[in-house]
């Protein structure tokens, strides 16, 4: 179903005349990659895009209107501007929109909206953009991972990751670097002034044109005896999550159904209960995670869609972004230049290539 058909169905179902998006990921989703962000610390951008069944309209102030029109929007998108010191975005949208309407930000008199369900599944054009982005993110992470050594600090490595990604026009809202000591202590190893030591985990969630991709690479300089075994255990859990995603999606099941398979996989690889120590990931696309699976999740598993599962096993992790369809599982965040290992899913007749530990 096309984006406009999806929106038409939503308008009819909710008995609305228009729908508006100002949050950057949903703005980019509907515009086709256009960026409405100036201040990356804010929740909403400098413009909102609306759909009323006939076409798209962007409302923004007179500071941003020329730039958005010339650099971010297609020629057929109408732009309405207001004087920056006389109004605000929410009020201007309320004035410009037919009613009743809904928005993904606070607009007086409008219904609220969570756009995540509308953003799923991915269209073919979005899938193509996702492939390109994910490959570039993987290349950036692998480039940095091959350059560092055990004496580098987590913060220095994180800065190198951010710079490498920025050079490709990719934002990096999540950059985690855990050296041997802190990667074993914490599941979210926010970078500190600690040296890497025996090994390191480099994890990112990166964004361009509204799409988000996640991946982790493990590089070892003097690998602990247990590192490969724990990494393989995490890889098998991830393989199981992917196989379950495809099976559950084909049966129109829920994220909780996938989580049950993940929990069973931890048991099968000898790490009973390890899932309690970290969230396991979930659907990805126009958010780092459109949803995160829990034991009782009732979020619908849709196909085709991006999925980023991220199981951890006490100092080891396996994480990449995949496109899961009814026909198969496609690894997106890959370059073909990192060592891989083919691992079997637990409880499914399925095996996938997973990124293994790089020995330096």
């Amino acid at each position: 179903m096309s984006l406009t058909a999806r929106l038409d169905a939503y308008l009819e179902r909710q008995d609305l005349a228009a729908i508006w998006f100002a949050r950057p990921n949903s703005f980019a989703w509907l515009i086709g990659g256009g960026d409405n962000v100036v201040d990356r610390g804010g929740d909403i951008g400098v413009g909102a895009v609306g759909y009323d069944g006939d076409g798209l309209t962007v409302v923004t102030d007179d500071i941003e209107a020329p730039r958005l029109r010339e650099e971010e929007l297609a020629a057929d998108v109408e732009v309405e501007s207001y004087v920056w010191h006389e109004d605000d975005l929410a009020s201007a949208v309320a004035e410009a929109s037919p009613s009743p309407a809904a928005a993904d930000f606070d607009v007086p008199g409008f219904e609220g909206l969570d756009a995540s369900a509308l953003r799923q599944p991915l269209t073919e054009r979005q899938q193509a953009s996702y492939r390109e982005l994910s490959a570039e993110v993987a290349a950036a992470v692998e480039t940095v991972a091959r350059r560092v050594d055990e004496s580098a600090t987590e913060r220095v490595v994180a800065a190198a990751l951010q710079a490498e990604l920025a050079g490709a026009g990719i934002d990096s809202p999540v950059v985690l670097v855990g050296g041997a000591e802190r990667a074993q202590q914490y599941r979210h190893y926010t970078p500190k002034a600690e040296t890497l030591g025996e090994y390191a985990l480099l994890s990112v969630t990166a964004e361009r044109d509204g799409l988000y991709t996640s991946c982790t690479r493990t590089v070892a300089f003097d690998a602990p005896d247990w590192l490969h075994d724990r990494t393989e255990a995490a890889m098998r859990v991830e393989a199981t999550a992917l196989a379950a995603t495809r099976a559950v999606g084909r049966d129109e099941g829920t994220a909780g159904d996938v989580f049950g398979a993940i929990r069973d996989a931890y048991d099968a690889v000898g790490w009973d209960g390890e899932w309690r120590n970290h969230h396991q990931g979930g659907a990805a696309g126009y958010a780092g995670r459109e949803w995160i699976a829990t034991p009782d999740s009732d979020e619908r598993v849709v196909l085709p869609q991006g999925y980023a599962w991220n199981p951890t096993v006490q100092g080891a992790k396996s994480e990449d972004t995949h496109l899961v369809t009814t026909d198969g599982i496609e690894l997106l965040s890959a370059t073909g230049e990192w060592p891989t290992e083919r691992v079997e899913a637990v409880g499914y007749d399925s095996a996938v290539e997973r990124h293994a530990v790089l020995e330096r």
Side-chain angles (χ1 to χ4, degrees):
M1 182 183 293
S2 69
L3 298 189
T4 53
R6 206 178 296 180
L7 292 173
D8 285 335
Y10 186 85
L11 292 178
E12 181 178 0
R13 187 167 62 251
Q14 301 297 323
D15 194 23
L16 295 170
I19 186 170
W20 292 84
F21 305 92
R23 295 186 182 276
N25 54 343
S26 291
F27 184 94
W29 164 75
L30 187 52
I31 288 296
D35 189 356
N36 69 341
V37 177
V38 172
D39 179 1
R40 301 206 173 276
D43 292 330
I44 66 171
V46 296
V49 58
Y51 178 74
D52 62 2
D54 293 325
L56 300 181
T57 300
V58 167
V59 172
T60 187
D61 63 35
D62 56 355
I63 301 172
E64 303 300 335
R67 180 181 63 82
L68 293 183
R69 185 182 288 112
E70 294 169 14
E71 296 185 345
E72 303 294 345
L73 306 176
D76 61 346
V77 177
E78 182 181 352
V79 178
E80 296 189 17
S81 64
Y82 60 90
V83 179
W84 67 269
H85 60 85
E86 293 182 354
D87 216 338
D88 58 61
L89 182 60
S91 298
V93 165
E95 293 173 10
S97 177
S99 61
D104 71 347
F105 68 117
D106 189 15
V107 178
F110 282 25
E111 296 180 14
L113 166 69
D114 180 355
S116 180
L118 282 170
R119 297 193 298 257
Q120 303 173 66
L122 297 173
T123 66
E124 290 187 6
R125 183 180 59 80
Q126 292 167 348
Q127 292 171 40
S129 297
Y130 217 175
R131 290 184 182 96
E132 182 177 353
L133 167 66
S134 298
E136 291 184 37
V137 170
V141 175
E142 292 175 13
T143 294
V144 173
R146 291 181 186 278
R147 289 176 183 165
V148 301
D149 61 32
E150 63 272 21
S151 66
T153 67
E154 295 170 350
R155 284 178 176 165
V156 166
V157 176
L161 285 169
Q162 291 168 321
E164 195 73 25
L165 290 164
I170 301 170
D171 288 333
S172 47
V174 178
V175 175
L176 305 177
V177 179
E181 181 176 346
R182 295 184 66 253
Q184 295 178 66
Q185 292 179 309
Y186 309 110
R187 305 300 163 125
H188 290 145
Y189 26 85
T190 54
K192 302 295 182 184
E194 305 289 338
T195 56
L196 300 184
E198 296 176 318
Y199 79 100
L201 302 181
L202 282 63
S203 302
V204 304
T205 295
E207 178 270 335
R208 184 173 64 198
D209 297 335
L211 282 166
Y212 289 74
T213 194
S214 299
C215 69
T216 292
R217 296 293 181 267
T218 306
V219 56
F221 313 104
D222 183 16
D225 293 340
W226 49 261
L227 180 61
H228 289 276
D229 289 342
R230 293 185 190 177
T231 300
E232 183 176 355
M235 291 158 61
R236 290 199 66 200
V237 174
E238 188 186 12
T240 305
L242 291 165
T245 299
R246 182 177 175 228
V248 170
R250 293 172 72 174
D251 291 340
E252 299 184 348
T254 69
D257 297 327
V258 179
F259 197 93
I262 291 172
R263 186 167 46 196
D264 291 345
Y266 273 109
D267 293 351
V269 299
W271 288 90
D272 182 10
E274 183 69 2
W275 58 270
R276 298 180 184 277
N277 297 315
H278 188 216
H279 80 75
Q280 301 300 304
Y286 284 87
R289 299 293 188 274
E290 294 283 8
W291 46 256
I292 291 174
T294 67
D296 300 319
S297 294
D298 59 4
E299 296 281 357
R300 191 165 64 91
V301 176
V302 302
L303 308 175
Q305 184 62 36
Y307 287 90
W309 299 105
N310 48 259
T312 57
V313 177
Q314 288 190 10
K317 184 177 183 179
S318 184
E319 176 186 33
D320 271 300
T321 301
H322 292 77
L323 176 67
V324 183
T325 71
T326 57
D327 296 325
I329 299 165
E330 178 184 350
L331 173 59
L332 299 182
S333 50
T335 64
E337 299 177 359
W338 193 270
T340 61
E341 180 180 339
R342 191 165 184 81
V343 296
E344 300 283 340
V346 175
Y348 295 88
D349 184 16
S350 176
V352 294
E353 293 288 335
R354 298 304 313 116
H355 288 109
V357 177
L358 174 69
E359 297 277 4
R360 290 279 307 282

